[in-house]
Amino acid sequence: AYKRFSELLPKEERENAYSARVPKSQILTLPELRANPFQHRICHVFSTSETGDDSMSFEDFLDMLSVFSDSATSDIKSHYAFRIFDFDNDGILDRKDLEHLVNCLTGQGEESQLSGAEMEQLIQNILEESDIDKDGTINLSEFQHVVSRSPDFARCGGLQR
């Protein structure tokens, strides 16, 4: 992990990789993130940058790798998946988050974008399946309940396409 992290830094900074921050633009060059529709959210969620530039320290990088590793528990994976899908960072998945999530998964090109009616039906189906307390949103425990019933989520972490 340290070798991969330090290789993202300019040569002159590699000696001090433990204290360096890798810019988001470099993190996005990783093959695991390059084609991920949530690449920007992943950087945002794992970055501890105080400037909001989504750069990563070595510890941030380790946290990200550990969550995506096969040995991470389903609870940990679902916790971070929830944070990644919570686009407005308000602690719930509301209709706007779900619409953004669907657009990320289907692509935002004209040919792949859902119609308004299709989007509304899909969001309604997601809420019917997931919104246990029927408040129109999905909280972390509701999200974890739904993903606990999905063997594919536990296997791949729910974030790979």
Side-chain angles (χ1 to χ4, degrees), residues 93-109:
L93 303 183
D94 58 18
R95 287 178 170 277
K96 213 159 190 48
D97 291 317
L98 294 174
E99 185 173 332
H100 203 142
L101 172 61
V102 170
N103 283 333
C104 281
L105 291 171
T106 60
Q108 296 184 325

Side-chain angles (χ1 to χ4, degrees), residues 17-154:
Y18 283 116
S19 59
R21 296 193 72 83
V22 171
K24 176 182 175 179
S25 60
Q26 282 300 108
I27 299 290
L28 294 177
T29 66
L30 292 168
E32 297 87 342
L33 289 181
R34 206 174 298 136
N36 191 308
F38 302 103
Q39 59 182 214
H40 296 285
R41 286 295 302 161
I42 290 168
C43 288
H44 181 74
V45 166
F46 286 98
S47 173
T48 57
S49 171
E50 293 178 8
T51 65
D53 65 0
D54 294 343
S55 63
M56 286 193 193
S57 67
F58 180 59
E59 286 190 18
D60 297 339
F61 188 73
L62 279 179
D63 287 345
M64 180 180 72
L65 292 181
S66 67
V67 167
F68 288 106
S69 79
D70 291 338
S71 59
T73 66
S74 182
D75 273 356
I76 289 171
K77 287 180 183 290
S78 62
H79 170 80
Y80 279 95
F82 182 85
R83 288 187 55 204
I84 290 164
F85 300 158
D86 181 13
F87 291 93
D88 57 8
N89 302 309
D90 65 355
I92 56 169
L93 303 183
D94 58 18
R95 287 178 170 277
K96 213 159 190 48
D97 291 317
L98 294 174
E99 185 173 332
H100 203 142
L101 172 61
V102 170
N103 283 333
C104 281
L105 291 171
T106 60
Q108 296 184 325
E110 299 247 338
E111 71 286 343
S112 61
Q113 204 161 22
L114 298 179
S115 71
E118 292 168 327
M119 179 67 77
E120 183 54 39
Q121 184 60 58
L122 182 54
I123 289 172
Q124 195 55 45
N125 292 350
I126 292 168
L127 289 171
E128 282 174 20
E129 179 75 22
S130 312
D131 182 16
I132 297 166
D133 63 8
K134 303 298 180 210
D135 67 350
T137 66
I138 302 167
N139 62 37
L140 177 59
S141 63
E142 290 169 330
F143 182 79
Q144 288 180 318
H145 175 74
V146 168
V147 299
S148 71
R149 300 180 310 188
S150 170
D152 284 346
F153 184 90

